[in-house]
């Protein structure tokens, strides 16, 4: 899907249309948009269903989760996609092995930059909140993590350690 797209200058998300940019602006209070020639993709993780809009997002998702299979749904009807995968219900968090017994999957905290985690903690953020912010903002900058925190401070699970 080549052609013109929009990029949010605040968070870098690629948007397909003015309508998507307006919806993004309403949801995030971001106002810095610019035209981009980068294609907006719709690559969906086969393991968890997370949509990725660029190859960079795919690469980050692969690095964070180890998931490697993506379905290209770019050519399907263009409608806004949710950028955050919904949490799986507790019933899906169980693995059934060949013997038929159900055992809980091992949950691990995501790996984040320890220096940035310490810096956020020194600013007064809890470990869980700082880890969540770094993980979901791409683990690249303190500013990105703080922006993510300000956008998601009302999330009901903001103080839960991401797993």
């Amino acid at each position: 899907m080549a052609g013109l797209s929009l990029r949010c200058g605040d968070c870098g998300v690629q948007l397909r249309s003015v309508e998507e940019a307006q919806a993004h602006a309403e949801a995030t209070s971001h106002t810095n948009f610019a035209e981009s020639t980068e294609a907006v993709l719709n690559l969906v993780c086969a393991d968890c269903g997370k949509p990725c809009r660029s190859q960079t997002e795919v690469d980050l998702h692969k690095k964070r989760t180890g998931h490697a299979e993506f379905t290209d749904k770019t050519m399907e009807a263009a409608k806004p996609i949710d950028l955050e995968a919904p949490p799986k219900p507790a019933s899906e968090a169980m693995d059934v092995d060949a013997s038929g017994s159900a055992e809980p999957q091992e949950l691990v905290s995501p790996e984040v930059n320890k220096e940035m985690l310490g810096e956020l903690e020194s600013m007064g953020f809890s470990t869980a909140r700082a880890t969540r912010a770094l993980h979901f903002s791409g683990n690249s900058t303190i500013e990105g993590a703080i922006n993510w925190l300000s956008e998601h401070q009302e999330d009901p699970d903001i103080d839960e350690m991401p797993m």
Side-chain angles (χ1 to χ4, degrees):
M1 181 181 248
L4 196 59
S5 61
L6 296 170
R7 176 184 290 275
C8 176
D10 296 319
C11 68
V13 71
Q14 289 289 117
L15 305 158
R16 289 187 182 92
S17 66
V18 172
E19 291 79 16
E20 277 192 25
Q22 289 171 335
H24 180 75
E26 288 175 15
T28 63
S29 299
H30 294 169
T31 57
N32 181 17
F33 296 93
E35 291 181 352
S36 171
T37 56
E38 185 177 346
V40 179
L41 304 174
N42 186 3
L43 303 171
V44 180
C45 178
D47 294 316
C48 69
K50 182 191 186 308
C52 296
R53 290 185 165 217
S54 68
Q55 191 58 47
T56 303
E57 281 187 42
V58 168
D59 294 341
L60 285 171
H61 185 69
K62 284 181 182 179
K63 183 177 177 183
R64 288 183 195 139
T65 65
H67 299 163
E69 240 179 271
F70 291 82
T71 305
D72 189 350
K73 296 187 177 186
T74 303
M75 299 312 285
E76 292 181 9
K79 67 174 197 166
I81 56 175
D82 187 7
L83 296 179
E84 292 187 20
K88 288 186 176 182
S91 62
E92 290 182 29
M94 301 291 277
D95 258 350
V96 178
D97 62 18
S99 68
S101 67
E103 294 179 15
Q105 291 179 338
E106 180 182 351
L107 299 176
V108 294
S109 298
E111 298 231 358
V112 295
N113 182 300
K114 301 297 181 204
E115 278 183 31
M116 288 192 286
L117 179 63
E119 198 169 327
L120 287 169
E121 289 173 329
S122 72
M123 292 178 186
F125 295 107
S126 69
T127 301
R129 194 173 279 226
T131 301
R132 182 172 285 278
L134 286 168
H135 174 69
F136 288 113
S137 69
N139 201 30
S140 56
T141 66
I142 292 290
E143 183 178 320
I146 291 173
N147 287 340
W148 187 92
L149 282 165
S150 68
E151 293 167 15
H152 295 270
Q153 62 187 345
E154 300 300 321
D155 290 3
D157 59 353
I158 188 73
D159 289 312
E160 295 175 17
M161 184 64 80
M163 296 292 173

